[in-house]
């Protein structure tokens, strides 16, 4: 019996010892987990607050709570990154805590805890200005594009992207410049001297338009119409492409001669934006200036002309590769022309640039006769005035200084648009043109002739401007005109396969944003071109 008691006591001691060891192990494990968790939490805390890269709406640790708002509202978006067009409006902390925002490292710094053990801070971000009517097709500022405001006298100041710097509803289109010296920095509202501006560009937001004419009729009528059928073009801005299955919409056909199932009255996304897969286009504000190795886009400067189409195309392509620069296409010209003739633009024909020195941005005075061909032209102030005058505004697509100029007259503008398999005097051939993505040029049916308006690409402002009429101008020669503003209207053909737009300073009534004509693609002193960034 005594032995049994001793045995039981011994066994009990062993069990107690095991329990103690086991408990110690559990405590050690818990302590290790706690230490690891605290270390990890501190690490995460440092990462979050040294440079905030959070992708959640609210970050919470044992001692810190961080949240963010945009323009005072909680939004279902990721934490704004440094280059996301947001700035910090304010940092607000509770219970006496203070903190600052480090824009360079994009995080909170100088955190001073207050009365509470927990630090609670909210970062309020201010978003870049957006115009509701654009439905997301607001200007996209890439690389070295600087947003600007242009005063009526032409003074250029740097615009804050967080304030209203465009208003399409009021016909004030967004402008941006590329600087000669891109190391120069300007504060908001600071004047940017003309001497440091290399080029001007205007934003054309992505839109769909209501089809007003399918342009499926070839030929012309040999008479002069008694009335114009020009009308306001209805436009809806937005990023979503129209589709056949939606009521009063159609999918954009995109090719020469095609209409898909589109009908008059349907809305169709303009092809210029689809081909470049872009929310909009930065179109050169003026015809190209400078020299072929140093392109510029400047007002009051002689336009660059007398180059083969291939030379123009390659110079435009290489101008700003980071901004997808290229020579304007027929469809891109159409996108600007249609927007100009909507309630968001001048909504009539733009005034001709009749400056006989090919100076960009000029407009004919009210006293000149532009009712037929030829019109009145020259260089004196009683005949032609610059872009930054009341008269000059009439040559803009908006009727004010924010629009695109030289869409009528000046130099005749070559387009990157041609009759398939027909290269004329352009210096292109099938092999050299194939070196470039087909999105950089419009291709028209190889059977087209000067009256085959049905070979248009819907949206290019060619065939849709009919019906067409053939009659004599005041010089006694018969020409083909459209029925909007009597602009010249000749499709590309076997002899003149490359399209030209806008007309020449001498053309009078024949010039306009809806004029088009074929040419050889060769170098001529009357022919220039225009840049586009996408």
């Amino acid at each position: 019996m005594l032995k049994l008691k001793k045995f039981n006591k011994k066994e009990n001691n062993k069990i107690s010892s095991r329990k103690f060891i086991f408990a110690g192990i559990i405590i050690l494990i818990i302590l290790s987990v706690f230490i690891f968790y605290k270390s990890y939490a501190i690490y995460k805390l440092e990462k979050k607050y040294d440079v905030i890269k959070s992708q959640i709406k609210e970050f919470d640790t044992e001692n810190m709570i961080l949240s963010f708002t945009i323009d005072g509202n909680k939004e279902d978006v990721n934490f704004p990154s440094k280059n996301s067009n947001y700035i910090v409006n304010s940092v607000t902390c509770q219970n006496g805590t203070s903190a600052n925002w480090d824009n360079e490292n994009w995080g909170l710094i100088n955190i001073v805890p207050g009365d509470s053990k927990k630090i609670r801070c909210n970062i309020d971000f201010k978003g870049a200005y957006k115009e509701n009517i654009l439905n997301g097709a607001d200007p996209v500022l890439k690389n070295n594009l600087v947003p600007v405001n242009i005063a009526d006298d032409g003074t250029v100041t740097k615009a804050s992207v967080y304030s209203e710097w465009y208003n399409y509803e009021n016909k004030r289109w967004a402008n941006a410049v590329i600087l000669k010296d891109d190391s120069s920095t300007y504060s908001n509202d600071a004047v940017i001297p003309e001497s440091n501006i290399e080029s001007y560009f205007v934003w054309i937001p992505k839109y769909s338009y209501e089809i007003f004419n399918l342009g499926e009729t070839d030929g012309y009528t040999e008479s002069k119409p008694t009335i114009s059928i020009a009308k306001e073009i209805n436009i809806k801005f937005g990023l979503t492409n129209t589709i056949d299955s939606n009521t009063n919409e159609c999918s954009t056909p995109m090719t020469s001669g095609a209409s898909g199932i589109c009908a008059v009255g349907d809305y169709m996304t303009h092809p210029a934006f689809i081909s470049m897969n872009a929310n909009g286009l930065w179109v050169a504000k003026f015809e190209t200036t400078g020299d072929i190795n140093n392109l510029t886009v400047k007002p009051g400067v002689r336009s660059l002309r007398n180059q083969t189409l291939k030379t123009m195309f390659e110079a435009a392509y290489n101008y700003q590769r980071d901004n997808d620069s290229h020579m304007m296409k027929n469809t891109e010209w159409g996108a600007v022309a249609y927007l100009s003739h909507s309630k968001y633009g001048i909504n009539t024909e733009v005034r001709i640039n009749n400056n006989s020195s090919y100076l960009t941005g000029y407009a004919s005075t009210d006293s000149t006769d532009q009712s037929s061909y030829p019109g009145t032209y020259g260089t004196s102030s009683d005949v032609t005035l610059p872009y930054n005058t009341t008269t000059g505004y009439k040559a803009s697509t908006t009727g004010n200084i924010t629009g695109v100029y030289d869409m009528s007259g000046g130099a005749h503008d070559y387009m990157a648009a041609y009759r398939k398999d027909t290269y004329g005097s352009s210096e292109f051939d099938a092999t050299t043109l194939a070196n470039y993505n087909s999105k950089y040029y419009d291709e028209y049916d190889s059977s087209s002739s000067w009256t085959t308006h049905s070979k248009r690409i819907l949206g290019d402002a060619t065939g849709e401007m009919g019906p067409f009429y053939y009659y004599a101008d005041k010089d006694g020669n018969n020409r083909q005109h459209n029925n909007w503003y009597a602009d010249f209207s000749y499709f590309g053909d076997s002899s003149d396969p490359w399209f030209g737009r806008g007309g020449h300073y001498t053309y009078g009534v024949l010039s306009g944003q809806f004029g088009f004509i074929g040419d050889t693609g060769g170098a001529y002193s009357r022919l220039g071109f225009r840049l586009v960034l996408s």
Side-chain angles (χ1 to χ4, degrees):
M1 190 69 177
L2 181 62
K3 288 182 179 179
L4 181 60
K5 286 181 179 180
K6 286 182 178 180
F7 174 76
N8 288 338
K9 184 177 181 181
K10 189 174 182 180
E11 286 301 308
N12 287 337
N13 288 339
K14 286 182 179 179
I15 290 171
S16 297
S17 178
R18 289 193 195 103
K19 286 182 177 179
F20 178 79
I21 293 171
F22 181 73
I25 292 172
I26 293 298
I27 291 170
L28 184 62
I29 291 172
I30 292 173
L31 185 62
S32 298
V33 170
F34 177 75
I35 292 171
F36 173 79
Y37 172 79
K38 289 292 287 183
S39 299
Y40 181 74
I42 291 170
Y43 165 76
K44 292 291 285 183
L45 188 64
E46 289 173 347
K47 294 295 286 182
K48 296 292 181 181
Y49 285 90
D50 285 345
V51 180
I52 296 179
K53 298 178 180 177
S54 174
Q55 297 298 309
I56 58 175
K57 298 283 297 279
E58 186 173 272
F59 174 71
D60 194 350
T61 71
E62 182 180 351
N63 295 314
M64 285 190 169
I65 298 176
L66 176 67
S67 60
F68 75 92
T69 51
I70 296 177
D71 294 324
N73 301 308
K74 288 192 174 183
E75 303 285 351
D76 188 20
V77 296
N78 291 335
F79 193 95
S81 62
K82 183 177 179 179
N83 298 313
S84 59
N85 274 342
Y86 288 95
I87 59 172
V88 172
N89 193 33
S90 64
V91 176
T92 306
C93 300
Q94 298 179 7
N95 302 317
T97 297
S98 65
N100 300 115
W101 184 261
D102 180 3
N103 283 308
E104 183 63 29
N105 293 308
W106 205 245
L108 281 179
I109 58 172
N110 303 329
I111 302 174
V112 179
D115 301 332
S116 174
K117 290 183 179 180
K118 284 196 174 183
I119 296 174
R120 298 172 181 268
C121 293
N122 182 76
I123 303 167
D124 184 50
F125 290 92
K126 182 176 177 61
Y129 169 75
K130 293 184 178 180
E131 186 176 3
N132 290 336
I133 201 170
L134 296 185
N135 297 309
D138 296 88
V140 178
L141 291 164
K142 296 191 299 182
N143 302 313
N144 53 352
L145 281 165
V146 179
V148 296
N149 292 312
I150 305 177
D152 287 344
D153 66 357
T155 301
V156 178
T157 55
K158 184 179 182 296
S160 168
V161 296
Y162 305 104
S163 301
E164 182 180 306
W165 58 289
Y166 55 88
N167 189 319
Y168 285 78
E169 190 164 19
N170 291 328
K171 307 178 190 286
R172 307 293 297 185
W173 296 5
N175 282 248
V177 299
I178 292 175
L179 302 177
K180 287 182 180 179
D181 178 8
D182 58 12
S183 67
S184 300
T185 57
Y186 298 93
S187 58
N188 293 334
D189 300 322
V191 172
I192 301 177
E194 184 65 32
S195 59
N196 197 31
I197 296 176
E198 177 189 284
S199 299
Y200 289 77
F201 291 89
V202 179
W203 179 252
I204 308 299
K206 184 176 180 178
Y207 67 81
S208 61
Y209 72 97
E210 184 180 15
I211 296 174
F212 51 88
N213 179 14
L214 286 171
E216 296 178 322
T217 303
D218 293 333
Y220 54 78
T221 299
E222 291 193 57
S223 65
K224 184 175 182 177
T226 57
I227 60 171
S228 166
I229 61 169
K231 63 187 70 176
E232 179 180 301
I233 299 173
N234 294 320
I235 278 175
K236 295 179 181 178
F237 296 111
L239 302 182
T240 304
N241 293 337
T242 54
I243 55 176
D244 292 333
S245 58
N246 286 347
T247 303
N248 298 323
E249 286 187 6
C250 66
S251 299
T252 308
M254 301 297 293
T255 56
S256 172
S259 298
I261 64 169
C262 294
V264 171
D266 286 345
Y267 275 84
M268 183 192 82
T269 300
H270 197 283
F273 308 106
I274 296 176
S275 64
M276 302 310 294
N277 190 27
N279 292 357
L281 303 168
W282 285 108
V283 170
K285 191 173 183 70
F286 307 99
E287 290 173 334
T288 308
T289 53
D291 64 65
I292 202 64
N293 297 311
N294 296 283
L295 303 184
T296 62
V297 180
K298 302 274 283 183
V301 178
R302 286 179 184 269
S303 60
L304 175 60
R305 293 161 287 109
N306 206 23
Q307 309 287 330
T308 65
L309 194 135
K310 181 173 182 287
T311 300
M312 294 176 178
F313 183 98
E314 292 175 340
Y317 182 84
N318 293 317
Y319 169 64
Q320 285 273 325
R321 278 289 74 217
D322 289 344
N323 283 316
D324 203 15
S325 63
H326 57 277
M327 183 178 181
M328 180 177 264
K329 304 184 297 181
N330 234 10
T331 46
E332 291 170 339
W333 180 282
V336 182
Y338 284 0
L339 185 59
S340 78
H341 214 277
S342 73
K343 66 180 181 179
Y344 307 111
I346 195 171
N347 205 7
T348 187
E349 185 166 49
V350 297
R351 184 71 63 88
I352 186 174
N353 177 351
N354 65 336
N355 187 286
S356 58
S357 292
Y358 291 102
L359 299 185
T360 55
Y362 272 71
S364 64
T365 60
D366 294 345
S367 62
T368 61
D369 180 11
Q370 308 297 339
S371 63
S372 189
Y373 173 84
T376 307
Y377 52 88
T379 59
S380 61
S381 60
D382 62 326
V383 172
T384 187
L385 288 168
Y387 77 109
N388 56 348
T389 63
T390 302
T391 295
Y393 306 153
K394 296 175 182 178
S396 160
T397 54
T398 56
N400 61 58
I401 204 166
T402 70
V404 178
Y405 286 79
D406 302 326
M407 294 285 287
S408 175
H412 198 175
D413 288 350
Y414 264 140
M415 297 288 110
Y418 80 115
R419 182 183 190 261
K420 185 179 179 181
D421 299 328
T422 315
Y423 305 101
S425 304
S426 67
E427 295 186 337
F428 268 124
D429 55 32
T431 301
T432 52
L433 189 59
N435 290 330
Y436 298 93
N437 191 306
S438 60
K439 71 178 182 178
Y440 294 116
Y441 52 84
D442 291 324
E443 189 173 75
Y444 289 84
D445 193 284
S446 60
S447 66
S448 66
S449 68
W450 65 277
T451 60
T452 55
H453 309 109
S454 65
K455 303 302 183 184
R456 86 288 175 268
I457 299 173
L458 275 178
D460 68 3
T462 62
E464 291 165 278
M465 311 323 297
F468 299 94
Y469 294 83
Y470 192 70
Y471 57 87
D473 292 301
K474 70 179 181 182
D475 67 344
N477 292 313
N478 289 322
R479 295 182 180 85
Q480 189 170 227
H481 309 73
N482 68 33
N483 192 213
W484 277 48
Y485 296 107
D487 299 345
F488 63 102
S489 303
Y490 290 82
F491 219 75
D493 60 20
S494 58
S495 299
D496 298 306
W498 294 91
F499 281 84
R501 304 302 295 260
H504 189 256
Y505 70 77
T506 63
Y507 280 13
V509 72
L510 299 177
S511 288
Q513 73 261 48
F514 300 113
F516 59 94
I517 196 168
D519 219 309
T520 67
Y524 301 103
S525 62
R526 70 179 186 278
L527 281 153
F529 66 109
R530 192 180 292 265
L531 297 170
V532 176
L533 310 177
S534 57

